[in-house]
Amino acid sequence: MDGKSELIARALSLAGSDLLIGGEWGPAASGKVGAVLNPANEAVLTEVAVGAERDGQAALDAAASSAAAWAATAPRERAEILRRAFEAIMARTEDFAALITLEMGKPLADALGEVRYGAEFFRWYGEEAVRAFGRTAITPEGNLDVITVRRPVGPCLLITPWNFPLAMATRKIGPALAAGCTCVLKPASLTPLSSLAVGRVLVEAGVPAGVVNVVPAESSAAVSGPILADPRLRKLSFTGSTPVGQGLLAEAAPGVLRTSMELGGCAPFIVFADADLDAAVAAAVVAKTRSNGEACNAANTFYVHESLVTDFSVRLAERFAALTVGDGLNPGVDLGPLVSAGQRRDVDSLVAAAIAAGAEVLTGGAPVDGPGFFYQPTVLGSVPKDAAILTTEIFGPVAPVTSFETVDEVLARANSVDVGLAGYIYTRDIKLVQRCARELEVGMLAVNTGPISNAAAPFGGIKRSGLGREGGPEGFEEYLDTIYVGLPR
Ligand code: NAD
């Protein structure tokens, strides 16, 4: 076997092909399996068990019956398990990264970044596990001591998307376990492998049977629906698209479940007149192409001041044209395939509509022929203000550039969408930064930089980008209830 085949074999062995329920690895109750495709060549990578309603119920049974014992575990013990899981992932970063690349398509270097980012949620929340602090106070009347006690919320359903198949799982499991919650993880149907590998690491790190259950499914709703209707479930944490999130919120309403919803975005990348153009172009490339452009916080729409727009567009197009597209496991590849044929079709329709509306193709603009769901790195210039591509989540390596004249105008245009996840601004004017922090309708603002995701920082959106935060102390709160104890003085 050559080096690449060995890497593939090692990566696939991390995941196995079984469901994890109640500490046991096994087939789906129906015996059904589903194929996982490699988006770089459309070949079947492997087959995994796909659960349905019965498997989901068995997983919830396991999560519910292990909940009290896990909640009673010493915080230090939970912390040590998470720490061991962090170490185990870090010891095999390349294998985990290859697994991400194989099932999702992002280049290996990018996937290595996801592994480090994702593993950090186990270390960070392991450290946080021993810090579930409450507070004390005295009522203003002086008659009661007010004491708050923190308790784990209880069994959680965690549903993750395909674009960060490892990090979206660890970003939920880390704080859940640290807080003392048990969980059922339902990974995206396209990318179940990284989640199964995370399940294996946790079992090896000593997580007790039933505390973490992993149930890939062909039909997500068949697994999640009955779990959401079960009164033993106490929380739903979902990352995915806004329409699916809206449906799940409705399903969570009868049980009045705690919900954390990390939904879609449409991030503006605003280059103001006084920006450092070199830095802005460099950051634009990263903010647009990371994870093949399939990131919820990817820069979606480039608003560039009219005095800089020609220069910016030309330079961005040069940088995009120089990107190497190919199988993410091959050396030197900057951009891998999109995750599926459907995803590529959606991206191409948005591009075609923008061109029909008058946008100018500065580079790219079409799918790449051949096996694999590749799309040319694309920069569109002079995009008309009303083109749908400016206000729709693109989820591909396509950068539409539009110009603006005034600050009022660009803030109004950027805020005209019904989502508000991330925003990027380039300016040297601190007053303008402060104004954007007040007025740009986003949950996360990157100032003169591209990447800002971090385990220590609260990731999340406003408007239809979601509810709650992941990362930082805020992400821990999502899995804790606050119980008030009143004691007469
Ligand atoms: P998706 O909404 O199609 O799927 C997300 C998850 O929900 C998957 O596990 C899927 O199998 C499951 N699902 C789909 N339909 C369901 C249903 N009816 N009932 C229960 N589960 C169902 O999203 P996707 O295409 O996997 O991911 C891309 C989307 O995720 C983008 O909109 C992106 O912005 C968003 N996203 C958001 C964040 C964030 O932190 N805000 C992070 C990553 C991705």
Side-chain angles (χ1 to χ4, degrees):
M1 268 206 286
D2 62 10
K4 185 171 168 183
S5 311
E6 278 174 20
L7 180 60
I8 293 173
R10 281 203 312 275
L12 292 176
S13 75
L14 287 174
S17 57
D18 288 329
L19 310 178
L20 173 61
I21 298 177
E24 302 289 330
W25 294 94
S30 67
K32 204 163 178 197
V33 294
V36 182
L37 293 190
N38 180 347
N41 56 22
E42 303 178 39
V44 174
L45 267 176
T46 185
E47 290 183 329
V48 297
V50 283
E53 178 171 351
R54 262 192 296 162
D55 308 286
Q57 282 297 303
L60 182 63
D61 290 347
S65 57
S66 59
W70 181 244
T73 310
R76 178 66 73 206
E77 202 177 322
R78 301 200 294 265
E80 300 277 313
I81 290 171
L82 285 168
R83 176 73 194 203
R84 284 196 291 275
F86 161 77
E87 304 281 358
I89 296 174
M90 293 308 287
R92 298 185 66 180
T93 45
E94 198 185 26
D95 298 350
F96 276 94
L99 193 58
I100 293 171
T101 299
L102 285 167
E103 64 176 341
M104 183 276 169
K106 68 181 72 173
L108 193 61
D110 205 349
L112 279 166
E114 179 178 342
V115 173
R116 294 190 196 101
Y117 168 66
E120 185 60 26
F121 286 94
F122 284 172
R123 177 162 66 173
W124 206 89
Y125 282 107
E127 290 161 348
E128 204 69 357
V130 295
R131 297 193 183 91
F133 300 134
R135 68 181 174 94
T136 62
I138 303 169
T139 55
E141 297 77 7
N143 60 331
L144 286 176
D145 278 332
V146 173
I147 298 173
T148 67
V149 175
R150 315 311 305 281
R151 278 192 210 153
V153 169
C156 305
L157 174 61
L158 314 176
I159 303 181
T160 51
W162 48 260
N163 61 345
F164 287 84
L166 183 138
M168 294 304 99
T170 57
R171 203 163 82 166
K172 296 184 190 306
I173 295 173
L177 295 194
C181 297
T182 59
C183 61
V184 178
L185 170 66
K186 207 298 294 168
S189 318
L190 291 172
T191 58
L193 303 178
S194 301
S195 292
L196 292 170
V198 166
R200 277 183 195 277
V201 158
L202 285 163
V203 169
E204 280 159 26
V207 84
V211 170
V212 175
N213 306 278
V214 187
V215 186
E218 201 169 48
S219 159
S220 301
V223 170
S224 65
I227 295 180
L228 286 166
D230 192 308
R232 294 172 299 171
L233 187 75
R234 294 308 323 138
K235 179 177 172 74
L236 165 68
S237 177
F238 170 78
T239 299
S241 61
T242 296
V244 173
Q246 287 165 325
L248 288 171
L249 273 174
E251 284 188 71
V256 194
L257 297 178
R258 287 278 296 268
T259 54
S260 304
M261 309 301 285
E262 297 283 349
L263 309 179
C266 184
F269 188 110
I270 306 175
V271 183
F272 288 104
D274 67 338
D276 174 341
L277 198 59
D278 289 340
V281 170
V285 175
V286 178
K288 184 79 238 184
T289 61
R290 198 173 62 101
S291 199
N292 298 336
E294 297 164 313
C296 54
N297 58 345
N300 198 77
T301 308
F302 293 84
Y303 297 95
V304 185
H305 189 262
E306 57 181 355
S307 61
L308 298 175
V309 72
T310 306
D311 247 8
F312 178 89
S313 306
V314 168
R315 289 207 224 169
L316 191 65
E318 279 168 10
R319 297 285 292 268
F320 267 49
L323 295 173
T324 303
V325 180
D327 180 338
L329 282 189
N330 293 341
V333 166
D334 301 305
L335 207 57
L338 295 180
V339 76
S340 65
Q343 187 65 28
R344 181 168 67 170
R345 217 170 21 248
D346 291 350
V347 170
D348 195 41
S349 319
L350 276 172
V351 171
I355 296 170
E360 190 186 343
V361 179
L362 300 178
T363 189
V368 177
D369 286 339
F373 308 121
F374 296 97
Y375 201 83
Q376 295 173 350
T378 298
V379 178
L380 300 176
S382 312
V383 181
K385 284 185 183 178
D386 57 353
I389 200 166
L390 299 180
T391 51
T392 309
E393 186 176 46
I394 301 169
F395 247 54
V398 175
V401 184
T402 180
S403 68
F404 70 90
E405 289 175 38
T406 66
V407 174
D408 284 349
E409 176 205 333
V410 75
L411 291 181
R413 287 174 66 193
N415 288 342
S416 69
V417 292
D418 57 13
V419 289
L421 191 59
Y424 302 81
I425 57 170
Y426 265 80
T427 176
R428 297 171 165 105
D429 177 351
I430 185 67
K431 288 286 173 208
L432 190 48
V433 172
Q434 289 172 287
R435 180 170 174 196
C436 289
R438 284 193 306 270
E439 296 183 25
L440 203 56
E441 294 170 356
V442 294
M444 299 174 279
L445 183 63
V447 181
N448 296 327
T449 186
I452 56 166
S453 301
N454 191 285
F459 193 106
I462 60 174
K463 302 203 287 188
R464 292 185 190 174
S465 283
L467 300 168
R469 293 293 180 267
E470 288 190 327
E474 293 86 351
F476 197 31
E477 290 295 320
E478 304 275 324
Y479 294 89
L480 291 167
D481 279 330
T482 298
I483 310 302
Y484 156 48
V485 182
L487 295 170
R489 285 173 67 82

